[in-house]
Amino acid sequence: MDLSLTEEQLLLQDSFRKFFLKESTPERVRAAAQDGVDRTLWLALIEMGALHIRIPESAGGIGGSLFDAALICEEAGKRLASAPLAEAIVVAQVLASLDSEVAAKRLEAVLSGEQIIVPALHPLERGGQIMPAGAAATAAIGLHDGELILIERASDNEGRQHWRLSQEELRDRRTLLASGEGAQTAFLAAVEEWKLLSSAMLGSLAHEALEQAAAYARERIQFGRPIGSFQGVAHPLADAVTDVEAGQLLVRRAIWAVSSRRPDAAAFVSMSWWWQTQAAATAVRRAVRAFGGYGLSVEYDIHLFNLRANQLILANGDPYRELEIAGERLFKGATGPLPDAGEIGITFDLDEKSAAFKDKTRAFFKANYTPEMATKAHHSTASHDADFHRKMAEEGLLFANWPVEYGGEGRGSREMYASSEIYEEFNYTTHVLGTTTVVGQMVAQFATAEARAEIVPRILAGTALCSLGFSEPGSGSDVFSAQTSATRDGDDWIVRGQKMFTTGAHLADYVILLTRTRSGGAKHEGLTLFVVPTALPGFSYQPVHTYQDEKTTITYYDEIRLPDRYRLGEVDRGIDVMGAALSLEHGSGSLYLGQVRMLENALLWAHSTEYGEAPIERSSVRARLAIVRTRFEAAAAMVARLVWADDAGRHNRAWGPMTKMFITETYVKSAWEIMEMGGPDAMERGTHPLGMVELGHRRAYATTIYGGTSEIHRSIVAEKALGLPKSRS
Ligand SMILES: Cc1cc2nc3c(=O)[nH]c(=O)nc-3n(C[C@H](O)[C@H](O)[C@H](O)COP(=O)(O)OP(=O)(O)OC[C@H]3O[C@@H](n4cnc5c(N)ncnc54)[C@H](O)[C@@H]3O)c2cc1C
């Protein structure tokens, strides 16, 4: 996985960013509203080489990749460029691929700005259709009975907002460009490319609309506060920006799928288009809403985003149809010609080191994961196997990402992520591992030398487990209101209190404990972290059973005498240690993995003929499963961004919380979607595929709560991704 842009791509992006900022101002966008083309901008764009980008160098073009073209379209979308850019890029590419004089002449006319030619997205034998960006087009190219034809626009269409291609135009104004399979393939591939380029455009347009809404929400004061500090304003924007970024990453993943000629690449194109149409439509509406009544005033630019998004979304017809196509491509083997993406640079493939570490993990599981363990497998601490855990540690699989100075191997996030995919393959739970690795890293970083020497080697050897003691009966989300106290007594501390939901405490050797060491003052002050050996007198616990069949625990600290060597960090500076611990917890990117199994179970059900015809034969089922798969791929793309960014040192404080919120919330939605399709069958417990999905649904719900609830994550996304004011104190 490597989502870095190359030097050339950064340069390309930067030059088009500056260009559109200067040449596509809101005033220019308004002035071009009649037919949607700013002719000065259009000629300058041609001058910049935008239409040459996908024409091979051998044919006089730039020979850029599909991703390069998408980067240009992103910049155009952000500034609502009044130009049929995606259309002209793909038309130029098709014309350049044809070996005919007519096509060469037309290409020349397009590249000189003399003519604007757009693609007819649907087969022409179906009759009239509205041409995308057709208001200013002089001609269109499209397929008619397997032939690639060009249709001149009739002059009496001029001055209208759209070009609705008429039967007369089709009959009287057509020229044959090419016939045969080659021409047909080139054109169909170009339509798929148009979907990707337009998806890229929609994503950046929607993102910019949200940024403008956020800027307004920072400034606009109502009830004595900036409106962005109201969750009713901030949370819908946070959800929208999350969905839009998921879509932008999905488009990159689709371009990678096309470039690597994956069998499901065509499905990726459809999934990207459908997702972006939904995400963008919601985003622009929410952006307008943040402006209140002013959002409806044409004086404000935000309405332009709404209008342009709608135009673009509807250009390809009902987006639901594309979802159906995604279903056919995913589950009925339908496919279509795809463009040659060229050298795109980015990749979602595992790098060599990660693939090797994954192989090592797989080999270990094959040799050591017993059938008994598989029977016991459960997404909770219930299936923890001490012997297996110890062997994994000995093999260097568990804490390999820790820095070498802490005793780890300094492996990257991508390697660990690749390895964790095997856990999913074998249905192996990571609950205790997750909490142990957080505590271990906190101890390695903040503990005294003595405590480090005692605890870290045991964790590394796989013989000690740890739990997180943050939540209390009176403080969950508001974790810094903790009341469990630690009072100094000579060289020791006396710890008194109770923690709630200390998952895995019944197995743990140590609990990391958030305590209050000074009362009075701000709640964030006077907190201190300790690591408490559970063997100390005064420690006890009691189970709490949850509806997702998990067991967590309440832990009690009854006058525990705790030596000062178990303190983490400075006295009263627990906030520093908590910051590091929470960022490890919030940054978790592997949660989406439970969804792999859910998808498998959904497909098992969809292909079963228990009640006659298999559900997958119904287009509604295929479409809904396509939604589930789309969310899954978007989640995978988000996780990929997180692990790549971590390895590349590109820290962004929004991405961890955004990813956690997205993968857990979509997990809940998808599980429910599958259950709805199954109806009462989904209430079957045991090993029925839908029963497993139902269990997944309950499990998924818990993932939206622990590690910080989705509401808290939404607030963090609003702050870190959109710069909105804090809504919590
Ligand atoms: C299965 C499970 C395992 C867990 N494991 C651990 C663990 O190992 N260690 C640990 O320390 N904790 C653990 N937790 C606790 C978990 O972190 C908390 O449940 C969570 O942070 C929410 O706290 P709460 O339950 O007290 O709910 P509350 O904080 O009371 O929240 C109730 C509701 O109000 C919402 N809410 C609260 N504040 C705000 C706000 N400012 N804005 C908007 N909405 C708000 C919440 O989102 C939620 O919907 C676990 C929880 C579960 C369910």
Side-chain angles (χ1 to χ4, degrees), residues 15-26 75 79:
S15 58
F16 277 94
R17 182 167 294 165
K18 288 179 180 145
F19 170 80
F20 286 116
L21 200 57
K22 184 159 167 275
E23 299 291 339
S24 187
T25 58
E75 297 308 320
R79 300 288 154 220

Side-chain angles (χ1 to χ4, degrees), residues 231 235 435 468-471 475-478 500-503 546 548 550 552 702 705-709 711-712 715 728:
Q231 292 186 349
H235 283 190
T435 51
L468 304 174
F470 301 149
S471 305
S475 56
S477 303
D478 190 12
M500 193 65 207
F501 301 122
T502 319
T503 303
T546 70
Q548 71 270 16
E550 272 190 71
T552 171
I705 291 169
Y706 56 63
T709 66
E711 287 76 15
I712 298 301
S715 290
R728 295 150 295 138

Side-chain angles (χ1 to χ4, degrees), residues 117-174:
I117 305 183
V118 294
L121 298 175
H122 305 286
L124 290 163
E125 56 269 25
R126 278 202 220 153
Q129 57 181 285
I130 290 183
M131 296 295 138
T138 49
I141 61 171
L143 290 177
H144 188 272
D145 285 336
E147 290 182 328
L148 183 59
I149 59 170
L150 181 134
I151 308 126
E152 307 283 356
R153 177 176 158 162
S155 54
D156 60 5
N157 261 341
E158 271 175 25
R160 289 170 60 177
Q161 288 276 334
H162 302 293
W163 175 14
R164 179 181 286 280
L165 182 77
S166 67
Q167 290 298 342
E168 291 72 39
E169 283 169 322
L170 193 53
R171 190 186 59 223
D172 304 335
R173 304 178 67 85
R174 62 191 278 172

